[in-house]
């Protein structure tokens, strides 16, 4: 392959992904099809198979592009905060703001079925959260309810904890990152994701009109999980 051919191929790949992103934003994840992209680019659908083996392959790359953009935005936002607790607040608020401003991208990454749990080692978005969590834990913060781990979850949480111990930055000891801490981190993510998803998908209970205040209340509860409020 000549250098000119590689440039053309790279440019076409960028055009394909840009068109896929445009369809995603305008019409949602279900609109991202090889046929629709080919029609918009004025090429045949089979020609796209030179770049992607299937729609699923293209969507996986599109999801990675969205995650990269989100990661960059959150990393920049976190860098403006000057202490670990402030970084938690900036990170969580930034995630919510991004989700509300990009509902279709959120739906693709966080609202579509996947083949399995994310690989934390390759998940740049997840590592932003883990990095901030690690900074908080390094200050000595501990769960306010250390006895709250159900026995039925302990085996799964042991595996989750082992994975976190390998990935946390700054590195944490097993004495700091206990099963109880892993459980508290998991609960915090479930609460954060749950509320943001309810807002994005318009499923917040109707009596709640000030969802921002509800979100701030959730953040305070999450900080209280580690005795920080």
């Amino acid at each position: 392959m000549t250098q000119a051919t590689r440039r053309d191929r790279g440019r076409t790949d960028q055009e394909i992904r840009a068109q896929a992103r445009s369809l995603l934003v305008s019409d949602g994840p279900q609109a991202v099809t090889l046929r629709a992209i080919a029609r918009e680019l004025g090429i045949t659908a089979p020609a796209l198979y030179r770049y992607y083996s299937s729609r699923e392959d293209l969507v996986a790359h599109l999801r990675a592009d969205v995650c990269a953009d989100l990661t960059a935005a959150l990393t920049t936002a976190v860098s403006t905060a000057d202490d670990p607790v402030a970084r938690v607040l900036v990170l969580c608020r930034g995630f919510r703001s991004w989700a509300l401003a990009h509902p279709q991208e959120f739906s693709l990454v966080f609202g579509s079925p996947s083949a399995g749990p994310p690989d934390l080692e390759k998940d740049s978005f997840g590592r932003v959260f883990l990095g901030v969590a690690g900074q908080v834990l390094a200050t000595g913060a501990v769960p306010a309810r250390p006895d709250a781990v159900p026995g039925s979850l302990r085996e799964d949480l042991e595996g989750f904890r082992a994975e976190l111990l390998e990935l946390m930055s700054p590195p944490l000891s097993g004495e700091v990152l206990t099963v109880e801490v892993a459980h508290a981190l998991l609960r915090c993510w479930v609460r954060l994701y749950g509320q943001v998803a309810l807002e994005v998908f318009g499923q917040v209970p109707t009596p709640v009109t000030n969802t921002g205040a509800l979100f701030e209340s959730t953040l305070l509860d999450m900080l209280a999980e580690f005795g920080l409020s």
Side-chain angles (χ1 to χ4, degrees):
M1 184 183 295
T2 67
Q3 185 174 359
T5 301
R6 283 195 294 270
R7 283 200 301 269
D8 290 342
R9 185 179 178 88
R11 183 167 58 247
T12 303
D13 187 25
Q14 292 173 0
E15 292 171 350
I16 292 170
R17 284 156 82 157
Q19 188 58 56
R21 187 74 168 264
S22 178
L23 288 168
L24 169 67
V25 171
S26 62
D27 299 311
Q30 72 284 349
V32 181
T33 67
L34 297 182
R35 186 179 299 277
I37 293 168
R39 182 174 61 249
E40 294 296 329
L41 293 179
I43 60 178
T44 63
L48 296 180
Y49 286 100
R50 287 184 292 173
Y51 301 88
Y52 300 98
S53 61
S54 63
R55 176 186 183 273
E56 290 71 24
D57 183 26
L58 171 60
V59 169
H61 283 82
L62 181 58
R63 184 180 287 113
D65 289 344
V66 172
C67 282
D69 290 347
L70 171 58
T71 298
L74 293 180
T75 299
T76 299
V78 166
S79 69
T80 66
D82 55 7
D83 69 78
V85 174
R87 292 186 192 109
V88 170
L89 296 174
V90 167
L91 180 62
C92 294
R93 289 166 179 159
F95 176 60
R96 173 178 178 262
S97 296
W98 177 87
L100 294 176
H102 303 85
Q104 302 291 18
E105 288 99 325
F106 178 88
S107 180
L108 176 71
V109 176
F110 298 100
S112 301
S114 63
D119 183 343
L120 291 179
E121 188 173 2
K122 299 178 181 178
D123 181 5
S124 59
F125 164 73
R127 287 201 302 274
V128 176
F129 273 86
L130 292 180
V132 171
Q135 293 167 17
V136 171
L137 295 174
T139 68
V142 296
R145 295 184 296 150
D147 59 345
V149 179
S152 57
L153 288 178
R154 186 164 289 273
E155 183 177 351
D156 288 339
L157 289 169
E158 287 282 7
F160 181 49
R161 170 179 174 266
E163 191 173 7
L164 293 180
L165 283 171
E166 293 183 0
L167 297 175
M168 276 292 192
S169 178
L172 299 173
S173 69
E175 289 74 22
V176 172
L177 184 47
T178 62
V179 171
E180 290 75 19
V181 168
H183 184 225
L185 289 175
L186 183 58
R187 289 204 312 273
C188 286
W189 167 246
V190 169
R191 295 177 71 179
L192 174 64
Y193 167 78
Q195 176 156 343
V196 170
L198 286 173
E199 286 194 72
V200 171
F201 298 132
Q203 298 298 318
V204 176
T206 52
V208 180
T209 56
N210 191 340
T211 54
L214 178 61
F215 183 77
E216 291 299 316
S217 175
T218 299
L219 288 186
L220 291 178
D221 286 346
M222 288 168 54
L223 291 176
E225 284 274 358
F226 293 91
L228 297 174
S229 62

